[in-house]
Amino acid sequence: MLFNSYSFIAFFPIICILYFLLPHKYRKYMLLIASYYFYMGWNAKYALLLLLSTAVTFVAGLGVDHFKDNPSKKKLVLTGSLIFNLGILAFFKYFGFIILNINKVLGSFGGEITNPFSRVLLPVGISFYIFQALGYSIDVYRGDLDAEKDFFKYALFVSFFPQLVAGPIERSKNLLNQFDEVHTFDYRRMCDGLLQMLYGYFLKLVVADRLSVFVDAVYNSAGLNGIFYLLASVLFAFQIYCDFAGYSTIAIGASRVMGFRLMENFNAPYLSQSVSEFWRRWHISLSTWFRDYLYIPLGGNRKGKLRKWINLIIVFGVSGLWHGAAYTYVAWGLLNGIFQIFGEILAPIKKKADTICVGPLKYVHQILRTVATFILVDFTWIFFRATSMGHAFGVIREIVTNTTLSLGSDELYQLGLTRHDFRIAIIALLVMLFTDICRYRGMVIREKILDMVIPLRWLMVIISVLFILCFGIWGSGYAETQFIYFQF
Amino acid sequence: MRKLNYKTGLAFFIVLSLAITGLSRLTMPFISDFYYQDHYDVVFFGTSESFTTFDPHVMAEYGISSYNRGRMTQPIYMTYYYMLDAIDACDINTIVLEPHALYDDTAPGMELKQEVIDSTLNNMRFSKYKVQMIRECLEKDIQFSNLFYLDKYHGRWQQMAQWPKENWGYLFRGEGEGENLGFQPWTTYQAMDEPYPSVEERKEPKDFEMSETGVEYLDKIYDLCQENNIRLIVAKSVYPCNDSDIGVAQYMAKWCADRDVPFYDYMMAYEALGIIEEEDDADGGFHLNINGADKVSRHFAQVLYNNEYYKKPGEATGEQ
């Protein structure tokens, strides 16, 4: 079930009403059934996989708890859980990729093997819920958390519908105990959650899905003026941000309506002044997952600079692979790691520049750093968006060698978006930018809206709803566009 | 913690619903000017064969007020709901059904092209009959999007943004104004590749079986007219004249005779009307152009006028 579908628009209020009408002790069961129903909207059979992963990590948690005084057995249980879950992930996500690479090698000797599972579909959200479940197992292993004894509560933690298919990847320490809290209906909290959802829909329907029309048209074409590839690459940065942040914002808002607090997943990432800052603001739930469960166990920054850099490269390489079984994702991840290493190497120069640039120059310097960071990040997005490494290099080649600034507007408007669409996109991007700047400075616009007098608040909300309805890409004239991160 | 003030919440949803309804209305393409009058002597129903053949302006020359509600490729079961809505909206003396649609053996709930659905629904006001039509005639998975206009038409702001300023009035009174009373004059000429069977050949019995849906809805239409004291006339346009159309016409002749419903088959009378294929054919034997329509309309207007068929049943001279 997609957030941008009628099914969800009908499903969500029903679940909320049921949630607050039911006595507390029954709520988790209702939410669990609702979450599985939500998931089975894609492929009912794959709910069994979700259940299996849940059962294995639940039992592993109990096993780890049982053997807490026996480190070797405890480790054995955890290893078993990790192998099983990562095995599922590898089978569904990477098996085809592995076969493809074996065939590349065998091809040079005239051999080939066929993939017997080529028709197996990738279960939606598998990377998200497996990482969430693994995080729980590791937390229990480390003793940060007691093993959960209530299977239904744990199953709900893994499958909680707002964040099931595209995160945020929740921590057991944050979410699991919230299912024990008695949430009473709170009008302001509901309004706050709904406003968040509204903003999420704005990001997805008005910005991301509109930009995707142009980006797809350009990336699927060959031999265009390089400036189109440049523009499409810049717009893709906003598309993927609005798509993913849109999903996360709807998920967080939907949870908030019911009283749950999910972790923030984005915090004005394109206002970052370095690539490492970008990664503290982009897909926060995944970045912190990798930090806590991979980077730090690898040694983090405790074993010298070189080891730290190697760790960074490993983490970002794995992060790339987590996003998809393709070299383009690995390249994207590695580039992000490399840029962070360069950032560290250049840190003394940046520090010096910080001390030199005072007064108005300070702001100019900050803006330049923000722009430079955006350029670097956007460069990596080319690999993320391209369908192959050859495609990515082709796009870069076109940008570098085939860019002429004399751009006929007719050409621009023949790539899926009209003049009016571009105007709406620009207005929407400015709204997004304004919201992010406010957020960067610690101001939450939602709270300002909630504190307004009723007529003004209603006006704001109604105008926002009408704006999304009128200018969003939705309805029978358009195919419901999946959120990009569902495929991961 | 703030508790919900239910009255405030309800008021908000009413205001929001009104705003969304207003937006839906603004972006909806057509509101037919059919609804601007509360009485018509004659209303034509059917498919494009109806709206390219029967011209209400010609009827007006004979003092007959009429409107053509024919819509593109409209299945007979949708025509039935169109009639229900029309009868509810205004007082009608006579309904003229062009039966070309009866060759079609689709049934309610089967797949229809979206442009066929749009052609019918866009021209219809929001009424309980429209809701019934959507529920009864359309596939389940497209019912909501056809009921909720915004789903289909919210992107129409792009077209509206290109309107000249004088068209902005349409926002409030509908583009339907000036719709030509439903008649759509085609001005093209295109002769058919192969001629249709001659009149004599058209008389030969055809192996045609009317669909169950066709029979069911014809009877419903007949009953509807009877219940509302509306005269029903069936008039087959000149085109098209395929075997299935001939089969329909032969079936209708018998059906009408059994129920004492006047039936005019212009397929059989095209020579008498002076229809010249090279001049009166709009698109290779599917529709009449404006010349052909004028010829048929004049003849039919005279039929209505001479027989006083534009009056309610029982009101014409000689009728009781």
mmCIF file with all atom_site columns, all heavy atoms in Angstrom, chain A residues 6 184 187 418 421 462 469-470 472 474 476, chain B residues 1-2 4 15 144 151-152 154 157-158:
data_model
loop_
_atom_site.group_PDB
_atom_site.id
_atom_site.type_symbol
_atom_site.label_atom_id
_atom_site.label_alt_id
_atom_site.label_comp_id
_atom_site.label_asym_id
_atom_site.label_entity_id
_atom_site.label_seq_id
_atom_site.pdbx_PDB_ins_code
_atom_site.Cartn_x
_atom_site.Cartn_y
_atom_site.Cartn_z
_atom_site.occupancy
_atom_site.B_iso_or_equiv
_atom_site.pdbx_formal_charge
_atom_site.auth_seq_id
_atom_site.auth_comp_id
_atom_site.auth_asym_id
_atom_site.auth_atom_id
_atom_site.pdbx_PDB_model_num
ATOM 1   N N   . TYR A 1 6   ? -5.229  5.924  -2.690  1.00 0.00 ? 6   TYR A N   1
ATOM 2   C CA  . TYR A 1 6   ? -6.518  6.069  -2.007  1.00 0.00 ? 6   TYR A CA  1
ATOM 3   C C   . TYR A 1 6   ? -6.643  5.052  -0.885  1.00 0.00 ? 6   TYR A C   1
ATOM 4   O O   . TYR A 1 6   ? -7.257  5.318  0.140   1.00 0.00 ? 6   TYR A O   1
ATOM 5   C CB  . TYR A 1 6   ? -7.666  5.861  -2.999  1.00 0.00 ? 6   TYR A CB  1
ATOM 6   C CG  . TYR A 1 6   ? -7.825  6.984  -3.984  1.00 0.00 ? 6   TYR A CG  1
ATOM 7   C CD1 . TYR A 1 6   ? -7.905  6.746  -5.346  1.00 0.00 ? 6   TYR A CD1 1
ATOM 8   C CD2 . TYR A 1 6   ? -7.918  8.306  -3.547  1.00 0.00 ? 6   TYR A CD2 1
ATOM 9   C CE1 . TYR A 1 6   ? -8.057  7.774  -6.251  1.00 0.00 ? 6   TYR A CE1 1
ATOM 10  C CE2 . TYR A 1 6   ? -8.065  9.348  -4.448  1.00 0.00 ? 6   TYR A CE2 1
ATOM 11  C CZ  . TYR A 1 6   ? -8.136  9.073  -5.803  1.00 0.00 ? 6   TYR A CZ  1
ATOM 12  O OH  . TYR A 1 6   ? -8.292  10.094 -6.689  1.00 0.00 ? 6   TYR A OH  1
ATOM 13  N N   . THR A 1 184 ? -2.997  8.585  24.806  1.00 0.00 ? 184 THR A N   1
ATOM 14  C CA  . THR A 1 184 ? -4.365  9.124  24.761  1.00 0.00 ? 184 THR A CA  1
ATOM 15  C C   . THR A 1 184 ? -4.437  10.103 23.595  1.00 0.00 ? 184 THR A C   1
ATOM 16  O O   . THR A 1 184 ? -3.408  10.603 23.128  1.00 0.00 ? 184 THR A O   1
ATOM 17  C CB  . THR A 1 184 ? -4.711  9.866  26.067  1.00 0.00 ? 184 THR A CB  1
ATOM 18  O OG1 . THR A 1 184 ? -3.648  10.748 26.362  1.00 0.00 ? 184 THR A OG1 1
ATOM 19  C CG2 . THR A 1 184 ? -4.924  8.883  27.202  1.00 0.00 ? 184 THR A CG2 1
ATOM 20  N N   . TYR A 1 187 ? -5.177  16.436 20.684  1.00 0.00 ? 187 TYR A N   1
ATOM 21  C CA  . TYR A 1 187 ? -5.582  17.203 19.510  1.00 0.00 ? 187 TYR A CA  1
ATOM 22  C C   . TYR A 1 187 ? -4.393  17.907 18.845  1.00 0.00 ? 187 TYR A C   1
ATOM 23  O O   . TYR A 1 187 ? -4.207  17.833 17.635  1.00 0.00 ? 187 TYR A O   1
ATOM 24  C CB  . TYR A 1 187 ? -6.641  18.226 19.928  1.00 0.00 ? 187 TYR A CB  1
ATOM 25  C CG  . TYR A 1 187 ? -7.127  19.107 18.796  1.00 0.00 ? 187 TYR A CG  1
ATOM 26  C CD1 . TYR A 1 187 ? -7.758  18.558 17.685  1.00 0.00 ? 187 TYR A CD1 1
ATOM 27  C CD2 . TYR A 1 187 ? -6.957  20.491 18.851  1.00 0.00 ? 187 TYR A CD2 1
ATOM 28  C CE1 . TYR A 1 187 ? -8.207  19.360 16.655  1.00 0.00 ? 187 TYR A CE1 1
ATOM 29  C CE2 . TYR A 1 187 ? -7.402  21.307 17.823  1.00 0.00 ? 187 TYR A CE2 1
ATOM 30  C CZ  . TYR A 1 187 ? -8.025  20.742 16.737  1.00 0.00 ? 187 TYR A CZ  1
ATOM 31  O OH  . TYR A 1 187 ? -8.459  21.539 15.716  1.00 0.00 ? 187 TYR A OH  1
ATOM 32  N N   . THR A 1 418 ? 6.202   21.095 -18.770 1.00 0.00 ? 418 THR A N   1
ATOM 33  C CA  . THR A 1 418 ? 5.856   22.321 -19.485 1.00 0.00 ? 418 THR A CA  1
ATOM 34  C C   . THR A 1 418 ? 6.462   23.519 -18.756 1.00 0.00 ? 418 THR A C   1
ATOM 35  O O   . THR A 1 418 ? 7.000   23.374 -17.647 1.00 0.00 ? 418 THR A O   1
ATOM 36  C CB  . THR A 1 418 ? 4.334   22.508 -19.530 1.00 0.00 ? 418 THR A CB  1
ATOM 37  O OG1 . THR A 1 418 ? 3.879   22.670 -18.179 1.00 0.00 ? 418 THR A OG1 1
ATOM 38  C CG2 . THR A 1 418 ? 3.630   21.315 -20.163 1.00 0.00 ? 418 THR A CG2 1
ATOM 39  N N   . ASP A 1 421 ? 4.908   23.710 -15.468 1.00 0.00 ? 421 ASP A N   1
ATOM 40  C CA  . ASP A 1 421 ? 5.449   22.722 -14.532 1.00 0.00 ? 421 ASP A CA  1
ATOM 41  C C   . ASP A 1 421 ? 6.742   23.238 -13.903 1.00 0.00 ? 421 ASP A C   1
ATOM 42  O O   . ASP A 1 421 ? 6.969   23.071 -12.700 1.00 0.00 ? 421 ASP A O   1
ATOM 43  C CB  . ASP A 1 421 ? 5.747   21.405 -15.260 1.00 0.00 ? 421 ASP A CB  1
ATOM 44  C CG  . ASP A 1 421 ? 4.512   20.545 -15.399 1.00 0.00 ? 421 ASP A CG  1
ATOM 45  O OD1 . ASP A 1 421 ? 3.754   20.452 -14.427 1.00 0.00 ? 421 ASP A OD1 1
ATOM 46  O OD2 . ASP A 1 421 ? 4.297   19.984 -16.481 1.00 0.00 ? 421 ASP A OD2 1
ATOM 47  N N   . ILE A 1 462 ? -5.804  24.807 4.452   1.00 0.00 ? 462 ILE A N   1
ATOM 48  C CA  . ILE A 1 462 ? -6.668  24.603 3.272   1.00 0.00 ? 462 ILE A CA  1
ATOM 49  C C   . ILE A 1 462 ? -5.920  24.984 1.991   1.00 0.00 ? 462 ILE A C   1
ATOM 50  O O   . ILE A 1 462 ? -5.970  24.260 0.996   1.00 0.00 ? 462 ILE A O   1
ATOM 51  C CB  . ILE A 1 462 ? -7.986  25.385 3.435   1.00 0.00 ? 462 ILE A CB  1
ATOM 52  C CG1 . ILE A 1 462 ? -8.845  24.671 4.483   1.00 0.00 ? 462 ILE A CG1 1
ATOM 53  C CG2 . ILE A 1 462 ? -8.753  25.479 2.114   1.00 0.00 ? 462 ILE A CG2 1
ATOM 54  C CD1 . ILE A 1 462 ? -10.060 25.427 4.935   1.00 0.00 ? 462 ILE A CD1 1
ATOM 55  N N   . LEU A 1 469 ? -3.368  19.260 -4.034  1.00 0.00 ? 469 LEU A N   1
ATOM 56  C CA  . LEU A 1 469 ? -4.360  18.597 -4.895  1.00 0.00 ? 469 LEU A CA  1
ATOM 57  C C   . LEU A 1 469 ? -4.280  19.118 -6.321  1.00 0.00 ? 469 LEU A C   1
ATOM 58  O O   . LEU A 1 469 ? -4.410  18.375 -7.284  1.00 0.00 ? 469 LEU A O   1
ATOM 59  C CB  . LEU A 1 469 ? -5.775  18.823 -4.347  1.00 0.00 ? 469 LEU A CB  1
ATOM 60  C CG  . LEU A 1 469 ? -6.150  18.034 -3.098  1.00 0.00 ? 469 LEU A CG  1
ATOM 61  C CD1 . LEU A 1 469 ? -7.533  18.425 -2.622  1.00 0.00 ? 469 LEU A CD1 1
ATOM 62  C CD2 . LEU A 1 469 ? -6.105  16.534 -3.372  1.00 0.00 ? 469 LEU A CD2 1
ATOM 63  N N   . CYS A 1 470 ? -4.081  20.405 -6.442  1.00 0.00 ? 470 CYS A N   1
ATOM 64  C CA  . CYS A 1 470 ? -4.094  21.017 -7.771  1.00 0.00 ? 470 CYS A CA  1
ATOM 65  C C   . CYS A 1 470 ? -2.774  20.783 -8.517  1.00 0.00 ? 470 CYS A C   1
ATOM 66  O O   . CYS A 1 470 ? -2.777  20.456 -9.696  1.00 0.00 ? 470 CYS A O   1
ATOM 67  C CB  . CYS A 1 470 ? -4.355  22.507 -7.613  1.00 0.00 ? 470 CYS A CB  1
ATOM 68  S SG  . CYS A 1 470 ? -4.869  23.286 -9.132  1.00 0.00 ? 470 CYS A SG  1
ATOM 69  N N   . GLY A 1 472 ? -0.136  18.718 -7.506  1.00 0.00 ? 472 GLY A N   1
ATOM 70  C CA  . GLY A 1 472 ? 0.564   17.446 -7.284  1.00 0.00 ? 472 GLY A CA  1
ATOM 71  C C   . GLY A 1 472 ? 0.409   16.523 -8.486  1.00 0.00 ? 472 GLY A C   1
ATOM 72  O O   . GLY A 1 472 ? -0.508  16.668 -9.286  1.00 0.00 ? 472 GLY A O   1
ATOM 73  N N   . TRP A 1 474 ? -0.656  13.220 -9.280  1.00 0.00 ? 474 TRP A N   1
ATOM 74  C CA  . TRP A 1 474 ? -1.415  12.109 -8.685  1.00 0.00 ? 474 TRP A CA  1
ATOM 75  C C   . TRP A 1 474 ? -2.659  11.894 -9.525  1.00 0.00 ? 474 TRP A C   1
ATOM 76  O O   . TRP A 1 474 ? -2.940  12.646 -10.437 1.00 0.00 ? 474 TRP A O   1
ATOM 77  C CB  . TRP A 1 474 ? -1.797  12.440 -7.223  1.00 0.00 ? 474 TRP A CB  1
ATOM 78  C CG  . TRP A 1 474 ? -2.727  13.606 -7.093  1.00 0.00 ? 474 TRP A CG  1
ATOM 79  C CD1 . TRP A 1 474 ? -2.383  14.927 -7.134  1.00 0.00 ? 474 TRP A CD1 1
ATOM 80  C CD2 . TRP A 1 474 ? -4.152  13.571 -6.974  1.00 0.00 ? 474 TRP A CD2 1
ATOM 81  N NE1 . TRP A 1 474 ? -3.496  15.715 -7.028  1.00 0.00 ? 474 TRP A NE1 1
ATOM 82  C CE2 . TRP A 1 474 ? -4.602  14.906 -6.930  1.00 0.00 ? 474 TRP A CE2 1
ATOM 83  C CE3 . TRP A 1 474 ? -5.104  12.547 -6.891  1.00 0.00 ? 474 TRP A CE3 1
ATOM 84  C CZ2 . TRP A 1 474 ? -5.950  15.249 -6.801  1.00 0.00 ? 474 TRP A CZ2 1
ATOM 85  C CZ3 . TRP A 1 474 ? -6.442  12.885 -6.757  1.00 0.00 ? 474 TRP A CZ3 1
ATOM 86  C CH2 . TRP A 1 474 ? -6.856  14.221 -6.713  1.00 0.00 ? 474 TRP A CH2 1
ATOM 87  N N   . SER A 1 476 ? -5.757  9.522  -11.671 1.00 0.00 ? 476 SER A N   1
ATOM 88  C CA  . SER A 1 476 ? -5.802  8.532  -12.743 1.00 0.00 ? 476 SER A CA  1
ATOM 89  C C   . SER A 1 476 ? -5.059  8.965  -14.003 1.00 0.00 ? 476 SER A C   1
ATOM 90  O O   . SER A 1 476 ? -4.766  8.154  -14.868 1.00 0.00 ? 476 SER A O   1
ATOM 91  C CB  . SER A 1 476 ? -7.243  8.184  -13.089 1.00 0.00 ? 476 SER A CB  1
ATOM 92  O OG  . SER A 1 476 ? -7.962  9.349  -13.388 1.00 0.00 ? 476 SER A OG  1
ATOM 93  N N   . MET B 2 1   ? -1.831  18.629 27.172  1.00 0.00 ? 1   MET B N   1
ATOM 94  C CA  . MET B 2 1   ? -2.628  17.909 26.171  1.00 0.00 ? 1   MET B CA  1
ATOM 95  C C   . MET B 2 1   ? -3.901  18.687 25.860  1.00 0.00 ? 1   MET B C   1
ATOM 96  O O   . MET B 2 1   ? -4.599  19.100 26.776  1.00 0.00 ? 1   MET B O   1
ATOM 97  C CB  . MET B 2 1   ? -2.985  16.531 26.713  1.00 0.00 ? 1   MET B CB  1
ATOM 98  C CG  . MET B 2 1   ? -3.679  15.664 25.714  1.00 0.00 ? 1   MET B CG  1
ATOM 99  S SD  . MET B 2 1   ? -4.022  14.026 26.389  1.00 0.00 ? 1   MET B SD  1
ATOM 100 C CE  . MET B 2 1   ? -5.374  14.378 27.482  1.00 0.00 ? 1   MET B CE  1
ATOM 101 N N   . ARG B 2 2   ? -4.149  18.875 24.585  1.00 0.00 ? 2   ARG B N   1
ATOM 102 C CA  . ARG B 2 2   ? -5.380  19.582 24.205  1.00 0.00 ? 2   ARG B CA  1
ATOM 103 C C   . ARG B 2 2   ? -6.384  18.589 23.678  1.00 0.00 ? 2   ARG B C   1
ATOM 104 O O   . ARG B 2 2   ? -6.078  17.763 22.835  1.00 0.00 ? 2   ARG B O   1
ATOM 105 C CB  . ARG B 2 2   ? -5.045  20.622 23.147  1.00 0.00 ? 2   ARG B CB  1
ATOM 106 C CG  . ARG B 2 2   ? -5.159  22.036 23.692  1.00 0.00 ? 2   ARG B CG  1
ATOM 107 C CD  . ARG B 2 2   ? -4.426  23.030 22.874  1.00 0.00 ? 2   ARG B CD  1
ATOM 108 N NE  . ARG B 2 2   ? -4.914  23.138 21.503  1.00 0.00 ? 2   ARG B NE  1
ATOM 109 C CZ  . ARG B 2 2   ? -4.356  23.966 20.629  1.00 0.00 ? 2   ARG B CZ  1
ATOM 110 N NH1 . ARG B 2 2   ? -3.325  24.685 20.971  1.00 0.00 ? 2   ARG B NH1 1
ATOM 111 N NH2 . ARG B 2 2   ? -4.805  24.040 19.402  1.00 0.00 ? 2   ARG B NH2 1
ATOM 112 N N   . LEU B 2 4   ? -9.796  17.411 21.678  1.00 0.00 ? 4   LEU B N   1
ATOM 113 C CA  . LEU B 2 4   ? -10.417 17.839 20.422  1.00 0.00 ? 4   LEU B CA  1
ATOM 114 C C   . LEU B 2 4   ? -11.758 18.483 20.706  1.00 0.00 ? 4   LEU B C   1
ATOM 115 O O   . LEU B 2 4   ? -12.588 17.934 21.414  1.00 0.00 ? 4   LEU B O   1
ATOM 116 C CB  . LEU B 2 4   ? -10.616 16.619 19.513  1.00 0.00 ? 4   LEU B CB  1
ATOM 117 C CG  . LEU B 2 4   ? -11.409 16.849 18.235  1.00 0.00 ? 4   LEU B CG  1
ATOM 118 C CD1 . LEU B 2 4   ? -10.656 17.780 17.320  1.00 0.00 ? 4   LEU B CD1 1
ATOM 119 C CD2 . LEU B 2 4   ? -11.683 15.546 17.525  1.00 0.00 ? 4   LEU B CD2 1
ATOM 120 N N   . VAL B 2 15  ? -15.467 23.023 5.992   1.00 0.00 ? 15  VAL B N   1
ATOM 121 C CA  . VAL B 2 15  ? -14.822 24.083 5.192   1.00 0.00 ? 15  VAL B CA  1
ATOM 122 C C   . VAL B 2 15  ? -13.848 23.462 4.189   1.00 0.00 ? 15  VAL B C   1
ATOM 123 O O   . VAL B 2 15  ? -13.818 23.832 3.006   1.00 0.00 ? 15  VAL B O   1
ATOM 124 C CB  . VAL B 2 15  ? -14.085 25.085 6.120   1.00 0.00 ? 15  VAL B CB  1
ATOM 125 C CG1 . VAL B 2 15  ? -13.285 26.087 5.299   1.00 0.00 ? 15  VAL B CG1 1
ATOM 126 C CG2 . VAL B 2 15  ? -15.082 25.816 6.999   1.00 0.00 ? 15  VAL B CG2 1
ATOM 127 N N   . PHE B 2 144 ? -14.030 5.233  -8.186  1.00 0.00 ? 144 PHE B N   1
ATOM 128 C CA  . PHE B 2 144 ? -13.751 6.389  -7.334  1.00 0.00 ? 144 PHE B CA  1
ATOM 129 C C   . PHE B 2 144 ? -13.141 7.538  -8.127  1.00 0.00 ? 144 PHE B C   1
ATOM 130 O O   . PHE B 2 144 ? -13.533 8.691  -7.972  1.00 0.00 ? 144 PHE B O   1
ATOM 131 C CB  . PHE B 2 144 ? -12.828 5.992  -6.177  1.00 0.00 ? 144 PHE B CB  1
ATOM 132 C CG  . PHE B 2 144 ? -12.604 7.123  -5.218  1.00 0.00 ? 144 PHE B CG  1
ATOM 133 C CD1 . PHE B 2 144 ? -13.574 7.465  -4.303  1.00 0.00 ? 144 PHE B CD1 1
ATOM 134 C CD2 . PHE B 2 144 ? -11.443 7.879  -5.266  1.00 0.00 ? 144 PHE B CD2 1
ATOM 135 C CE1 . PHE B 2 144 ? -13.396 8.536  -3.437  1.00 0.00 ? 144 PHE B CE1 1
ATOM 136 C CE2 . PHE B 2 144 ? -11.247 8.944  -4.412  1.00 0.00 ? 144 PHE B CE2 1
ATOM 137 C CZ  . PHE B 2 144 ? -12.231 9.272  -3.487  1.00 0.00 ? 144 PHE B CZ  1
ATOM 138 N N   . ASP B 2 151 ? -9.421  13.860 -9.210  1.00 0.00 ? 151 ASP B N   1
ATOM 139 C CA  . ASP B 2 151 ? -8.503  12.786 -9.560  1.00 0.00 ? 151 ASP B CA  1
ATOM 140 C C   . ASP B 2 151 ? -8.096  12.876 -11.022 1.00 0.00 ? 151 ASP B C   1
ATOM 141 O O   . ASP B 2 151 ? -6.924  12.727 -11.371 1.00 0.00 ? 151 ASP B O   1
ATOM 142 C CB  . ASP B 2 151 ? -9.181  11.449 -9.265  1.00 0.00 ? 151 ASP B CB  1
ATOM 143 C CG  . ASP B 2 151 ? -8.311  10.268 -9.626  1.00 0.00 ? 151 ASP B CG  1
ATOM 144 O OD1 . ASP B 2 151 ? -8.205  9.966  -10.830 1.00 0.00 ? 151 ASP B OD1 1
ATOM 145 O OD2 . ASP B 2 151 ? -7.728  9.667  -8.729  1.00 0.00 ? 151 ASP B OD2 1
ATOM 146 N N   . LYS B 2 152 ? -9.088  13.161 -11.880 1.00 0.00 ? 152 LYS B N   1
ATOM 147 C CA  . LYS B 2 152 ? -8.780  13.189 -13.311 1.00 0.00 ? 152 LYS B CA  1
ATOM 148 C C   . LYS B 2 152 ? -8.355  14.572 -13.795 1.00 0.00 ? 152 LYS B C   1
ATOM 149 O O   . LYS B 2 152 ? -7.560  14.696 -14.701 1.00 0.00 ? 152 LYS B O   1
ATOM 150 C CB  . LYS B 2 152 ? -10.037 12.786 -14.102 1.00 0.00 ? 152 LYS B CB  1
ATOM 151 C CG  . LYS B 2 152 ? -10.269 11.309 -14.167 1.00 0.00 ? 152 LYS B CG  1
ATOM 152 C CD  . LYS B 2 152 ? -11.291 10.966 -15.237 1.00 0.00 ? 152 LYS B CD  1
ATOM 153 C CE  . LYS B 2 152 ? -12.677 11.415 -14.856 1.00 0.00 ? 152 LYS B CE  1
ATOM 154 N NZ  . LYS B 2 152 ? -13.694 10.997 -15.825 1.00 0.00 ? 152 LYS B NZ  1
ATOM 155 N N   . HIS B 2 154 ? -7.353  17.518 -11.968 1.00 0.00 ? 154 HIS B N   1
ATOM 156 C CA  . HIS B 2 154 ? -6.629  18.534 -11.195 1.00 0.00 ? 154 HIS B CA  1
ATOM 157 C C   . HIS B 2 154 ? -5.496  19.138 -12.010 1.00 0.00 ? 154 HIS B C   1
ATOM 158 O O   . HIS B 2 154 ? -5.088  20.258 -11.767 1.00 0.00 ? 154 HIS B O   1
ATOM 159 C CB  . HIS B 2 154 ? -6.109  17.937 -9.890  1.00 0.00 ? 154 HIS B CB  1
ATOM 160 C CG  . HIS B 2 154 ? -5.074  16.891 -10.085 1.00 0.00 ? 154 HIS B CG  1
ATOM 161 N ND1 . HIS B 2 154 ? -3.735  17.174 -10.125 1.00 0.00 ? 154 HIS B ND1 1
ATOM 162 C CD2 . HIS B 2 154 ? -5.172  15.575 -10.304 1.00 0.00 ? 154 HIS B CD2 1
ATOM 163 C CE1 . HIS B 2 154 ? -3.071  16.064 -10.330 1.00 0.00 ? 154 HIS B CE1 1
ATOM 164 N NE2 . HIS B 2 154 ? -3.926  15.073 -10.450 1.00 0.00 ? 154 HIS B NE2 1
ATOM 165 N N   . TRP B 2 157 ? -5.269  22.793 -14.701 1.00 0.00 ? 157 TRP B N   1
ATOM 166 C CA  . TRP B 2 157 ? -4.827  24.184 -14.528 1.00 0.00 ? 157 TRP B CA  1
ATOM 167 C C   . TRP B 2 157 ? -3.837  24.575 -15.617 1.00 0.00 ? 157 TRP B C   1
ATOM 168 O O   . TRP B 2 157 ? -3.737  25.738 -15.978 1.00 0.00 ? 157 TRP B O   1
ATOM 169 C CB  . TRP B 2 157 ? -4.217  24.386 -13.133 1.00 0.00 ? 157 TRP B CB  1
ATOM 170 C CG  . TRP B 2 157 ? -3.021  23.511 -12.866 1.00 0.00 ? 157 TRP B CG  1
ATOM 171 C CD1 . TRP B 2 157 ? -3.040  22.275 -12.312 1.00 0.00 ? 157 TRP B CD1 1
ATOM 172 C CD2 . TRP B 2 157 ? -1.655  23.779 -13.183 1.00 0.00 ? 157 TRP B CD2 1
ATOM 173 N NE1 . TRP B 2 157 ? -1.773  21.758 -12.263 1.00 0.00 ? 157 TRP B NE1 1
ATOM 174 C CE2 . TRP B 2 157 ? -0.899  22.658 -12.787 1.00 0.00 ? 157 TRP B CE2 1
ATOM 175 C CE3 . TRP B 2 157 ? -0.992  24.865 -13.758 1.00 0.00 ? 157 TRP B CE3 1
ATOM 176 C CZ2 . TRP B 2 157 ? 0.471   22.590 -12.943 1.00 0.00 ? 157 TRP B CZ2 1
ATOM 177 C CZ3 . TRP B 2 157 ? 0.381   24.792 -13.916 1.00 0.00 ? 157 TRP B CZ3 1
ATOM 178 C CH2 . TRP B 2 157 ? 1.087   23.674 -13.514 1.00 0.00 ? 157 TRP B CH2 1
ATOM 179 N N   . GLN B 2 158 ? -3.136  23.568 -16.150 1.00 0.00 ? 158 GLN B N   1
ATOM 180 C CA  . GLN B 2 158 ? -2.151  23.873 -17.217 1.00 0.00 ? 158 GLN B CA  1
ATOM 181 C C   . GLN B 2 158 ? -2.862  24.421 -18.448 1.00 0.00 ? 158 GLN B C   1
ATOM 182 O O   . GLN B 2 158 ? -2.398  25.375 -19.063 1.00 0.00 ? 158 GLN B O   1
ATOM 183 C CB  . GLN B 2 158 ? -1.400  22.609 -17.595 1.00 0.00 ? 158 GLN B CB  1
ATOM 184 C CG  . GLN B 2 158 ? -0.586  22.053 -16.458 1.00 0.00 ? 158 GLN B CG  1
ATOM 185 C CD  . GLN B 2 158 ? 0.857   21.803 -16.846 1.00 0.00 ? 158 GLN B CD  1
ATOM 186 O OE1 . GLN B 2 158 ? 1.358   22.393 -17.794 1.00 0.00 ? 158 GLN B OE1 1
ATOM 187 N NE2 . GLN B 2 158 ? 1.540   20.970 -16.125 1.00 0.00 ? 158 GLN B NE2 1
#
